[in-house]
């Protein structure tokens, strides 16, 4: 199954001695999406899907996963295509690698927030293999591209036993390593609607060091002018690494829509983000530090977005 | 290249290109795992103790042995004798007791790594779990469980003092003057405790060893090694073999930093190979094993008290070091000694008391790590000196200038300091970052700070650590230099070639240095550690080259009928200053020269030999640590750091590190600068990011996911290397070591700069963003959003 719902995966760092190699598996590379569905249904939990493998192989080596069948879906039609249409928005095949995604002119021009989030993942070398689809399907609370997907209202298009269906990114993450994918389903592309006119966005990732760490905290903020809102603006907030899944912060969003925007209100929104965060203590950082960082970095991102909006408006 | 015709010692003093540059950048250079052994190669994997402290009640290897593809299983029953560089305190495979998580209990040899790994899971070990010792203070307690109940019976050299019936494997003391009386004179006294966690070397290349025993019982070991000769010696002794029955072949090393010195996993491969005569057995560690089953830098708890009079003169210093040495002490006992005799840092202090304890714990095994105890002790020394300067109300650079060692100072051991350029290091490093000038931070939420730290370090080694070299000519007058010191990336072969070329009078490009190091063919070298090669091996190379040179000149003198004093070798030509005769070295250095009138030939193949051992080092009094020449020499230096702290996240950005070291003579200035830069980077990494998170003896962050090291985007924006040259009396061309020293002062210099920026003193490494942020929050009683 693409995303098992009941497998308890121990955190790799609690395992004492990972093995030097990967456990044995069969590698399959079907060219028909329905064959993938059939294989997934046939093998159930002993099959895993493969794109860049930067999560899958690491988990297999750590002993957290031992699939008998690995199904490579990178070569299926459309999986590595990226297109932009001014009316329809951006379509990104699930297996488009992150460097290609971040470098695409349409992404640079219309979705700089997405480019920022993608560029914050690991290193350039790793991003030649890693995919955004894999980042979302892996279901990690720390997925750096998830907050961008949430605030950009991305849609996850999946193929399954009943053909195609669409899951909003906002409903995609159900828990640690749990996504909304059903048995036999797999992700084929992400669709990003045309963003609101005049919007500004920012993703801030805090790692222990600047190069290639997983996020202690990730904060995405997107804002745009909106006449229907009392404040004249709407904002969207999403956080990574501070809850069992990447989360939106509706409380902060409501605050900033309802009242005229002042510095004090921006602070209140940052506090609302802090309140929404329910982080744990782990090797990367304490819950206390994480909560403070959600507040401070939300404020920093918000200031940045607000300044951009005012400069444009 | 700074080659100039005015350099009288060239190519010594020139930044010539590294001798191994082309091989390494093209990927042609061979490392241990590249060597091919054909289809008969077997693989080993290790069964390791999951408990920090346990008794082995029973081992059943029968299921593992029955697995298809498994060739042999070894256990502690196969290793009756003990091994250890100083204190022989461990069995190659555990016998009755395991002492850390990862302690090798059994080894499986099989036709593939996968089979060996799978069979490891079939080795059944029954343990009786014992109470572990998880910190050195607990280990010192009279009621602590004993990790080595037989400590009193272990073999040990006469300068290490284990305490039988305790967990203390060495106690080193300094008693100089009368600190108790001196405190009363002091106008300011500061006292604090500083902590350093275990860290790892994280070389790019993990440990690899391939061992084979032939039908005569002779062993060959191919391994990534800083210590081929020490490994030969220790493994031979532990297996009851003669040294010449063990041959170690060591190709290029992909990073050592101390972790490939002494014997770690190599001995496991050898014992496994003994079970399958005629077959080579390869053992290579995973990155995770690299973290906790090879040597680590020891943890340290340092308690220090220091006092000065109002004129800014330090009067007394008292120190206790509690080293978290781990389960065994390959090097730990000597780190304890070195840190004890260097415990004052590079200061002249009349009244000193120091007690340095090496304490067994059920933690990973402490070993050599770049700096050999000095980065750990300077973490506390250089902060407490800063705190004392503050208490006295003196500028921190001025305070150091007032108290630091100078030529002729009497140091902690009572020895007299040799010529030293530390004052100049302090002056130049501080000037390079505009010390004393306040500079603005780059943003309103950032705070800028400057700090400095000075350091000293001596090569810590047994007094009879020797080096040897040979220099031989080929027909074309190129020169082959043979040494036993290892090229571990530091540039040792390049420097050896420069020295041979300079001493002989031939161009640098004519010199080759033989690798891999093979104990069967290469001359003896104690170990590639202690920043001692340029100095010690350099002395041997210089002597060997001079020996060969003398043979050439004697031959030419006889040939020309001239006095040898009038002859010289320049650019590969023998010349006479008197008769202005000249002849090329070519051919004559192998075939000799014809006598007149067809009367035969004189001379013959020229080969020079040289050795060096510092026979002038004296012992230290076991009760007072006093002695006339405690060490060969100290390298000294200073780092000055300019940084910013982001008050919103606690993150530190290092803007500049200026680093000045007195290297005596820079044989290759570019390589010296590279060491200074590399040290600043590794130092910054340990300062800001690195540290073991041990939970009940188990390493929680045993991979790069959660053990962070500095990457190219984390390193200081600007590193300003400064070379000071006050010649060393016993060094070739006046050179002393620089490899380790460059990272010694970095962490405390950063801590001092952080304290300057935000008024927060971090007493325990690393200086994480989280620590600084939470301290700032406490300071401000709630940060404004
Ligand atoms: C050194 C390193 C650094 C990293 N740093 C970061 C970081 O900074 N930030 C971050 O967010 N992540 C990081 N990661 C994690 C990882 O690189 C990313 O999550 C990456 O985007 C995964 O993409 P992939 O194509 O490699 O996925 P894969 O490993 O191929 O797949 C990921 C998961 O999704 C499943 N899957 C694959 N394809 C599909 C599909 N079409 N439909 C449904 N399920 C599917 C797989 O079975 C697997 O469970 C890092 C990983 C490494 C090794």
């Amino acid at each position: 199954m693409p995303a098992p719902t009941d497998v308890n995966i121990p955190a790799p760092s609690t395992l004492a001695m990972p093995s030097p190699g990967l456990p044995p598996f069969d590698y399959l590379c079907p060219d028909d999406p329905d064959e993938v569905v059939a294989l997934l249904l046939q093998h159930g939990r002993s099959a895993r899907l493969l794109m860049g493998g930067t999560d899958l192989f690491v988990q297999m080596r750590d002993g957290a996963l031992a699939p008998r069948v690995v199904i490579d879906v990178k070569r299926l039609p459309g999986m590595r295509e990226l297109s932009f249409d001014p009316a329809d928005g951006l379509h990104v095949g699930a297996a488009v690698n992150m460097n290609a995604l971040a470098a695409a002119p349409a992404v640079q021009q219309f979705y700089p927030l997405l480019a920022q989030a993608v560029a914050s993942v690991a290193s350039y070398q790793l991003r030649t293999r890693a995919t955004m689809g894999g980042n979302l399907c892996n279901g990690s609370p720390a997925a750096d591209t998830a907050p961008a997907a949430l605030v950009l209202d991305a849609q996850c298009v999946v193929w399954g036993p009943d053909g195609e269906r669409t899951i909003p990114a906002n409903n995609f993450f159900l828990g640690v390593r749990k996504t909304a994918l059903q048995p036999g389903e797999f992700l084929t592309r992400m669709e990003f609607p045309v963003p609101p006119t005049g919007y500004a966005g920012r993703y801030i990732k805090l790692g222990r060091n600047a190069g290639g760490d997983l996020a202690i905290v990730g904060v995405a903020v997107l804002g745009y002018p909106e006449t229907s809102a009392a404040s004249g603006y709407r904002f969207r907030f999403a956080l990574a690494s501070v809850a069992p899944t990447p989360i939106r912060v509706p409380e902060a969003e409501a605050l900033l829509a309802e009242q005229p925007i002042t510095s004090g209100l921006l602070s209140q929104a940052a506090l609302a983000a802090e309140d929404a965060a329910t982080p744990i203590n782990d090797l990367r950082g304490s819950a206390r530090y994480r909560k403070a960082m959600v507040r401070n970095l939300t404020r920093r991102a918000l200031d940045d977005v607000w300044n951009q909006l005012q400069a444009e408006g | 290249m700074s080659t100039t015709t005015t350099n009288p010692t060239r190519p010594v003093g020139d930044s010539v290109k590294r001798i191994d540059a082309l091989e390494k950048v093209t990927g042609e250079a061979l490392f241990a795992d590249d060597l091919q052994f054909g289809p008969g190669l077997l693989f080993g994997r290790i069964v390791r103790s999951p408990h920090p402290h346990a008794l082995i009640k029973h081992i059943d290897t029968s299921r593992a042995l029955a697995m298809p593809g498994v060739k042999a299983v070894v256990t502690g029953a196969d290793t009756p004798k003990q091994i250890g560089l100083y204190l022989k305190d461990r069995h190659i495979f555990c016998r009755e007791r395991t002492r850390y998580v990862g302690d090798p209990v059994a080894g499986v040899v099989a036709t593939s790594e996968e089979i060996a790994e799978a069979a490891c899971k079939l080795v059944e070990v029954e343990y009786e779990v014992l109470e572990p010792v998880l910190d050195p203070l607990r280990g010192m307690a009279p009621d602590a469980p004993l990790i080595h109940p037989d400590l009193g019976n272990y073999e040990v050299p006469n300068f290490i003092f284990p305490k039988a019936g305790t967990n203390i494997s060495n106690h080193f003391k300094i008693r100089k003057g009368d600190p108790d009386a001196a405190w009363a004179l002091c106008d300011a006294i500061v006292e604090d405790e500083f902590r350093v966690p275990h860290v790892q070397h994280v070389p790019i290349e993990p440990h690899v060893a391939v061992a084979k025993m032939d039908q005569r019982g002779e062993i060959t070991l191919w391994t990534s090694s800083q210590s081929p000769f020490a490994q030969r010696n220790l493994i031979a002794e532990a297996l009851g073999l003669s040294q010449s029955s063990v041959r170690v072949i060591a190709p290029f090393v992909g990073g050592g930093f101390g972790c490939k010195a002494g014997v770690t996993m190599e001995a496991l491969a050898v014992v496994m190979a003994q079970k399958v005569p005629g077959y080579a057995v390869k053992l290579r560690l995973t990155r995770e094993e690299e973290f906790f089953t090879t040597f680590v830098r020891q943890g340290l708890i340092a308690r220090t008290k220091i006092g000065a009079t109002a004129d800014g003169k330090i009067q007394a210093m008292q120190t206790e070091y509690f080293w978290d040495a781990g389960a065994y002490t390959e090097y730990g006992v000597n780190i304890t000694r070195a840190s004890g005799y260097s415990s004052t840092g590079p200061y002249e202090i009349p009244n000193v008391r120091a007690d340095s304890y090496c304490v067994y714990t059920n933690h990973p095994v402490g070993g050599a790590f770049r700096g050999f105890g000095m980065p750990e002790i300077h973490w506390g020394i250089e902060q407490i000196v800063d705190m004392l300067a503050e208490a006295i109300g003196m500028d921190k650079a001025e305070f150091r200038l007032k108290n630091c060692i100078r030529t002729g100072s009497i140091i902690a051991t009572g020895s007299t300091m040799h010529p030293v350029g530390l004052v100049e290091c302090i002056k130049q490093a501080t000037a390079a970052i505009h010390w004393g000038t306040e500079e603005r931070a780059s943003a309103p939420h950032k705070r800028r700070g400057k700090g400095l730290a000075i350091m000293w370090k001596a090569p810590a080694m047994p007094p009879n650590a020797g080096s040897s070299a040979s220099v031989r000519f080929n027909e074309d007058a190129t020169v082959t230099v043979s040494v036993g010191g290892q090229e571990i990336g530091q540039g040792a072969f390049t420097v050896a070639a420069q020295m041979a070329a300079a001493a002989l009078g031939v161009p640098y490009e004519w010199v080759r240095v033989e690798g891999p190091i093979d104990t069967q063919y290469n001359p003896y070298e104690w170990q590639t550690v202690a920043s001692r090669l340029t100095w010690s091996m350099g002395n041997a190379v210089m002597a060997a080259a001079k020996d060969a040179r003398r043979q050439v000149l004697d031959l030419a003198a006889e040939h020309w009928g001239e006095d040898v004093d009038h002859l010289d070798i320049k650019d590969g030509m023998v010349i006479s200053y008197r008769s202005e005769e000249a002849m090329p070295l070519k051919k004559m250095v192998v075939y000799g020269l014809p006598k007149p009138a067809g009367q035969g030939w004189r001379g013959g193949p020229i080969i020079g030999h040289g050795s060096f051992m510092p026979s002038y080092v004296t012992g230290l009094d076991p009760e007072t640590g006093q002695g006339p020449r405690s060490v060969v020499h100290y390298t000294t230096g200073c780092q000055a750091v300019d940084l910013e702290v982001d008050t919103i996240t606690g993150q530190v950005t290092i803007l500049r590190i200026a680093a000045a070291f007195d290297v005596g003579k820079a044989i290759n200035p570019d390589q010296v600068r590279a060491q200074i830069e590399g040290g600043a980077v590794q130092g910054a990494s340990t300062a800001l990011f690195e540290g073991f998170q041990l939970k009940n003896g188990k390493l929680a962050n045993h991979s790069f996911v959660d053990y962070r090291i500095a990457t190219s985007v984390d390193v200081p924006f600007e590193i300003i290397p400064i070379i000071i040259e006050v010649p060393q009396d016993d060094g070739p061309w006046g050179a002393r070591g620089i490899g380790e020293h460059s990272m010694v002062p970095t962490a405390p210099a950063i801590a001092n700069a952080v304290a300057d920026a935000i008024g927060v003193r971090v007493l325990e490494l690393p200086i994480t963003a989280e620590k600084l942020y939470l301290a700032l929050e406490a300071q401000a009683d709630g940060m404004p959003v």
Side-chain angles (χ1 to χ4, degrees), chain A residues 1-4 9 36 40 47-59 65 70-71 73-74 76 79 94-98 117-123 126-127 129-146 158 172 177 179 181 185-189 203 205 212-215, chain B residues 704-705 708:
Chain A
M1 290 221 298
I9 299 169
V36 174
L40 286 173
R48 297 295 299 197
L49 295 171
L50 168 69
M51 295 208 287
T54 63
D55 276 316
L56 180 64
F57 292 143
V58 173
Q59 289 163 23
L65 292 176
V70 167
I71 307 165
V73 290
K74 282 194 290 291
L76 292 175
M79 290 290 278
V96 171
N97 82 51
M98 287 188 171
V118 167
S120 80
V121 173
S123 58
L126 192 103
R127 294 194 298 271
R129 290 204 63 83
T131 66
M132 179 164 175
N135 195 230
L136 300 181
C137 292
N138 186 50
S140 160
D144 275 308
T145 67
V158 307
F172 191 74
R177 306 235 183 271
T179 67
L181 291 169
E185 286 186 337
F186 68 101
L187 182 69
T188 56
R189 67 178 180 279
Y203 181 64
K205 170 183 180 172
D213 197 11
L214 298 173
Chain B
F704 287 128
V705 177
R708 305 303 300 170

Side-chain angles (χ1 to χ4, degrees), chain B residues 3 23 66 114 132 140 151 175 208 249 288 339 350 390 505 656 759:
Chain B
T3 311
E23 271 170 285
E114 289 76 12
M140 297 270 291
L151 178 58
R175 301 286 182 269
V208 190
I249 301 174
E288 291 83 352
S339 60
E390 236 161 64
R656 275 183 300 187

